[in-house]
Amino acid sequence: MRILVVNVNTTTSITDAIAKQAEAAAAPGTEIVGLTPEIGAESVEGNFESYLAAIAVMDRVRSYPEPYDAVIQAGYGEHGREGLQELLDVPVVDITEASASIAMMLGHKYSVVTTLDRTVPLIEDRLRLAGLDVKCASVRASGLPVLALESDPERTIEAIVDEAEAAVREDKAEVICLGCGGMAGLDDRIRDRTGVPVVDGVSAAVKLAESLVGLGLSTSKVRTYAPPRPKQITGWPLAKPR
């Protein structure tokens, strides 16, 4: 089984970290391929960058030359999952929806801890659109940008852990979701401090994708996610085939 794990930003070191987390969660025999978009922002922290990432991710997946069994969109709260589902005949799993779906099985309420406050509405909207908001106690922001996970990791990790503790103490969350693909690997530290289950979206998405492939299931093509109607698309694809 081959699963494409697509970063939503153009920072290759984040792609590498996401792929490493995915590989750790994957079953024996599952090949993880990490992909970085050809265009877009170095980090995705707002609507403009998110819509740009949606196009870039679809383009990157369409230009991948080898067969694959599933696709994971590794951006928290980002746009584009629906477009991928129209374009592809394999399962598409978004890490936002994957982590929330798993969290709802583990406790009465979950909270998401993310990066900047401006990304909170995007995550709230994605959870609402997916019907996963009813069990969400809160979406909290550390106040530090995505790239601070690399430039100032200790300060960033401490801020994330502090927000997770506050979510459990003040918002009565019983499960924490890591609200950024770049937060992969922080689950143990947060679990030690809070005492609650911590769900990493990349790992959750890998297990859900493997399950869907194993069950022989993929996106319904009857109505909402039917393939795009044939028509001229000017300027597509953006990336040259490899």
Side-chain angles (χ1 to χ4, degrees):
M1 182 187 308
R2 176 181 289 158
I3 300 176
L4 306 185
V5 181
V6 194
N7 185 9
V8 298
N9 65 49
T10 58
T11 301
T12 56
S13 56
I14 294 180
T15 303
D16 293 341
I18 290 169
K20 183 177 179 181
Q21 184 71 12
E23 288 167 355
T30 296
E31 178 188 359
I32 299 296
V33 178
L35 298 181
T36 305
E38 298 287 346
I39 64 166
E42 61 182 347
S43 61
V44 179
E45 295 165 325
N47 282 286
F48 165 71
E49 293 160 355
S50 182
Y51 280 111
L52 183 60
I55 296 170
V57 166
M58 287 187 284
D59 176 64
R60 187 66 183 88
V61 171
R62 284 294 295 268
S63 67
Y64 183 76
E66 302 296 330
Y68 52 90
D69 300 289
V71 173
I72 292 171
Q73 179 173 290
Y76 215 94
E78 311 307 340
H79 302 91
R81 183 264 296 163
E82 298 89 345
L84 284 172
Q85 286 184 293
E86 287 189 8
L87 289 173
L88 307 177
D89 59 3
V90 300
V92 176
V93 182
D94 172 79
I95 66 170
T96 315
E97 297 167 6
S99 66
S101 297
I102 295 297
M104 288 171 64
M105 302 178 190
L106 303 176
H108 180 64
K109 291 277 189 177
Y110 69 90
S111 283
V112 177
V113 179
T114 189
T115 51
L116 296 179
D117 182 66
R118 65 176 295 162
T119 67
V120 170
L122 277 72
I123 294 172
E124 292 174 336
D125 285 351
R126 172 55 62 185
L127 294 173
R128 188 176 300 111
L129 184 64
L132 297 166
D133 59 316
V134 67
K135 290 286 187 178
C136 183
S138 61
V139 180
R140 285 178 166 265
S142 69
L144 296 170
V146 172
L147 296 182
L149 286 161
E150 294 188 334
S151 63
D152 194 356
E154 280 306 312
R155 179 181 172 223
T156 306
I157 291 169
E158 192 63 26
I160 292 166
V161 175
D162 286 347
E163 288 301 322
E165 286 186 308
V168 174
R169 183 178 62 253
E170 299 172 16
D171 306 330
K172 309 306 179 187
E174 298 175 8
V175 184
I176 296 295
C177 292
L178 300 179
C180 174
M183 289 181 182
L186 300 187
D187 43 346
D188 287 342
R189 190 154 172 178
I190 294 174
R191 189 182 303 111
D192 290 345
R193 286 269 291 270
T194 63
V196 305
V198 180
V199 183
D200 166 65
V202 174
S203 299
V206 168
K207 302 316 290 185
L208 287 177
E210 287 179 332
S211 297
L212 290 170
V213 174
L215 291 168
L217 297 173
S218 191
T219 306
S220 172
K221 295 296 182 177
V222 169
R223 188 183 184 195
T224 307
Y225 303 118
R229 295 181 63 200
K231 63 186 70 173
Q232 181 177 340
I233 306 295
T234 303
W236 181 279
L238 297 171
K240 300 294 183 182
R242 285 161 183 74

